[in-house]
Amino acid sequence: MTPEQFLELAKVLPEPLLLVSGEGQLLATNQPVADMLGLRRQELRGRMLFEIVTESTNDIVRYLQACSSSRAMVLGSLTLRKNDGQTLICRSQGAVIQPWSPESSALILLRLENRTQTSSNFVLLNEKIDELAKEVQRRKQAEEALWKANQELEIRVEERTTALQETLNELQLTQTQLIQAEKMSSLGQMVAGIAHEINNPVSFIYGNLHHAHKYTQDLLRLVQIYQQLCPNTPLEIQEQVEEIDLDFLIQDITKLFQSMKVGTERIQEIVKSLRNFSRLDEAELKQVNIHEGIDSTLMILEHRLQARHEYPEIKVIKKYSQLPNVTCYPGQLNQVFMNILANAIDSLEASVNPQTTDNQKLINNNPQIQIKTELIDEKWITVTIADNGLGINEQVRSKLFDPFFTTKSVGKGTGLGLSISYQIIVEKHNGELSCFSVPGKGAEFVIKIPINSVSYLTEKI
């Protein structure tokens, strides 16, 4: 680099720069150097570095030699003699830009830095750093406060979301229960209406069977007397007697009336069970016979208990104890019996493999439902409904009374039967509903209710 090239480059730079030879001759300087010394640039050109510094010649030579032999920048310290006689301590940075050769001397670039100004700048820098550190601290505190506020907001949002979800679930459950209750009410009205419409003609038939039987017996006795008094009947009458087989008719007509009587009595029992199950007039607390409610429910479900196709007959074993009348909501309690018994039948049907062709296996399966009632003390009774079906594992049992939980396939269960049953027993009757089961050994539901729910509900309120 020539002095002219150096000047072209250095004149646009604000930093004090000198271009010196390896012997210390000033080849070129920029204006900031002249300003530091209080001289003009023309006065500096051609002078020796030793003339404008206070350091010894040997020290300057060693420093320049170090700069010439190093590829890195060499740090040093130079004390300048200003034109006014004062001195100025500068930090120097020297770097060789043209190494020494036999043809030319080394060219060294020196960068000067006023230590006083540097110290001032350092103090200012420290102040800026302190301000920056404080600003960083303030921002950090603000970020922490914002993070904390965000966490609190998230917690509140989560709590509100949870509360809204619970409210929504309660509303959905309430809506479903209302729909279910409306369905049960409509079903009860329909059942009661059907029972009433059937009861009238059946009662008419049953009431007239006795008279029809008596009239028929009177006519038969009249025929017998006629045969005794007039043994020689005309040929036409004898042919008619043989054609209708009068002797068989006399024997069979009594059996016929007996069968008709049994049939009408059976229909009356079904009607009574339907009316007991619907209990439209018993929506309030009332004293009832628990056994009648269970028997009415079994009557409704009898078609599912009978043997059909691949399913064997489900035997019902009743172990009724002597119970007093219980004050309860009869219609709702019958609904609980219906839900538990229907689930027991479902479990027993599932325990029989419908694909098997081994009829002996079906017979030996021997599905059973055992219903046991017991008087615990003067205040409480229990109704236990147990089956010998597939049983329930612990994971399912823990969720058994949760709303909408079901293990049945889509369309075969809503998951509300046992949930509503639990609500009826626990909330409506202040009782207990428990389930005990071992997988593969069936399930047992225990209903515990007070004999007088009125007093317990009053105490609860």
Side-chain angles (χ1 to χ4, degrees), residues 17-187:
L17 299 173
L18 301 91
L19 183 65
V20 300
S21 66
E23 292 78 17
Q25 183 181 7
L26 299 178
L27 302 177
T29 63
N30 65 353
Q31 188 60 41
V33 174
D35 294 339
M36 291 175 67
L37 294 171
L39 298 171
R40 292 180 297 174
R41 283 192 294 115
Q42 291 79 2
E43 295 175 336
L44 292 172
R45 187 166 185 177
R47 297 177 67 175
M48 299 298 291
L49 182 60
F50 321 117
E51 300 175 11
I52 63 172
V53 297
T54 61
E55 283 77 13
S56 66
T57 302
N58 292 333
D59 290 341
I60 296 300
V61 170
R62 282 195 296 270
Y63 178 62
L64 293 177
Q65 288 177 347
C67 293
S68 299
S69 61
S70 175
R71 293 185 178 181
M73 189 170 286
V74 180
L75 300 178
S77 178
L78 297 175
T79 304
L80 302 180
R81 290 192 185 97
K82 296 177 66 175
N83 192 35
D84 58 5
Q86 295 181 359
T87 58
L88 182 63
I89 301 174
C90 295
R91 181 185 180 192
S92 66
Q93 296 174 325
V96 62
I97 59 175
Q98 180 178 305
W100 177 90
S101 67
E103 292 80 13
S104 62
S105 176
L107 294 180
I108 300 170
L109 176 64
L110 294 178
R111 176 181 176 272
L112 301 180
E113 186 176 352
N114 189 335
R115 281 196 173 183
T116 304
Q117 186 177 359
T118 302
S119 299
S120 176
N121 291 339
F122 183 74
V123 172
L124 181 62
L125 179 61
N126 283 339
E127 291 177 355
K128 293 296 182 180
I129 291 174
D130 290 340
E131 291 178 2
L132 182 60
K134 291 179 181 178
E135 180 65 22
V136 170
Q137 183 65 23
R138 284 195 296 269
R139 290 192 178 187
K140 185 177 180 181
Q141 291 175 351
E143 288 178 357
E144 289 179 352
L146 181 62
W147 180 83
K148 185 177 180 181
N150 188 46
Q151 289 294 108
E152 292 178 356
L153 181 61
E154 287 182 357
I155 292 173
R156 290 181 182 179
V157 170
E158 186 176 354
E159 290 175 350
R160 182 63 60 87
T161 302
T162 303
L164 289 175
Q165 187 62 44
E166 290 177 354
T167 303
L168 178 62
N169 292 339
E170 290 178 1
L171 288 175
Q172 289 177 337
L173 178 60
T174 302
Q175 181 187 26
T176 308
Q177 289 176 344
L178 288 174
I179 295 173
Q180 188 74 6
E182 184 64 26
K183 287 181 178 179
M184 290 300 296
S185 176
S186 300
L187 178 62

Side-chain angles (χ1 to χ4, degrees), residues 24 29 50 76 217 256 260 271 274 276 317 384 401:
T29 63
F50 321 117
Q217 293 298 321
L256 181 63
M260 293 171 64
V271 169
L274 290 173
N276 285 340
I317 302 173
T384 304
F401 301 115

Side-chain angles (χ1 to χ4, degrees), residues 298-436:
L298 289 172
M299 180 71 73
I300 302 297
L301 294 171
E302 186 171 355
H303 68 286
R304 296 194 60 189
L305 299 172
Q306 297 171 353
R308 50 194 172 89
H309 302 298
E310 68 274 10
Y311 298 115
E313 178 187 1
I314 298 176
K315 296 180 180 179
V316 177
I317 302 173
K318 301 178 184 178
K319 295 184 178 180
Y320 291 169
S321 300
Q322 190 69 30
L323 299 181
N325 286 342
V326 177
T327 303
C328 62
Y329 294 97
Q332 295 183 13
L333 207 57
N334 287 345
Q335 186 179 353
V336 174
F337 296 148
M338 173 66 76
N339 289 334
I340 295 177
L341 286 170
N343 282 343
I345 294 173
D346 290 340
S347 176
L348 290 171
E349 289 180 348
S351 67
V352 178
N353 183 3
Q355 303 299 327
T356 182
T357 57
D358 187 0
N359 293 329
Q360 187 65 30
K361 180 178 180 180
L362 297 178
I363 295 173
N364 292 339
N365 188 270
N366 192 27
Q368 292 183 357
I369 295 177
Q370 180 173 286
I371 305 174
K372 180 182 178 182
T373 61
E374 186 178 2
L375 179 65
I376 300 177
D377 52 36
E378 59 184 11
K379 295 183 178 180
W380 294 89
I381 68 163
T382 60
V383 178
T384 304
I385 300 175
D387 63 74
N388 60 347
L390 295 175
I392 306 170
N393 61 46
E394 181 60 28
Q395 184 178 3
V396 173
R397 194 185 69 83
S398 62
K399 301 178 182 179
L400 207 55
F401 301 115
D402 291 351
F404 306 109
F405 176 78
T406 179
T407 58
K408 299 177 182 178
S409 57
V410 177
K412 292 188 177 181
T414 62
L416 288 173
L418 290 179
S419 174
I420 293 175
S421 299
Y422 187 85
Q423 184 183 31
I424 290 173
I425 297 300
V426 177
E427 296 182 13
K428 295 290 187 179
H429 293 85
N430 200 33
E432 299 175 7
L433 177 58
S434 307
C435 175
F436 305 94

Side-chain angles (χ1 to χ4, degrees), residues 164-285:
L164 289 175
Q165 187 62 44
E166 290 177 354
T167 303
L168 178 62
N169 292 339
E170 290 178 1
L171 288 175
Q172 289 177 337
L173 178 60
T174 302
Q175 181 187 26
T176 308
Q177 289 176 344
L178 288 174
I179 295 173
Q180 188 74 6
E182 184 64 26
K183 287 181 178 179
M184 290 300 296
S185 176
S186 300
L187 178 62
Q189 292 177 1
M190 182 184 70
V191 168
I194 293 173
H196 177 73
E197 293 300 325
I198 294 175
N199 187 57
N200 286 338
V202 168
S203 296
F204 174 78
I205 294 171
Y206 183 79
N208 286 295
L209 272 179
H210 172 72
H211 301 291
H213 183 254
K214 181 176 181 301
Y215 297 159
T216 303
Q217 293 298 321
D218 291 342
L219 290 173
L220 291 176
R221 278 195 297 271
L222 177 61
V223 170
Q224 290 175 351
I225 293 173
Y226 177 79
Q227 286 178 333
Q228 291 174 0
L229 297 178
C230 303
N232 298 319
T233 57
L235 180 62
E236 185 177 354
I237 294 178
Q238 291 180 7
E239 291 177 353
Q240 186 65 30
V241 168
E242 291 177 0
E243 182 177 349
I244 65 173
D245 196 356
L246 182 62
D247 293 336
F248 171 78
L249 189 149
I250 293 173
Q251 294 177 3
D252 191 58
I253 197 168
T254 301
K255 297 179 182 178
L256 181 63
F257 274 104
Q258 184 63 31
S259 298
M260 293 171 64
K261 182 180 178 182
V262 171
T264 53
E265 288 176 349
R266 173 64 176 164
I267 295 174
Q268 286 180 324
E269 289 177 2
I270 294 174
V271 169
K272 181 181 178 182
S273 296
L274 290 173
R275 297 182 66 178
N276 285 340
F277 181 79
S278 61
R279 291 188 181 272
L280 291 179
D281 57 338
E282 297 177 10
E284 301 299 328
L285 285 167

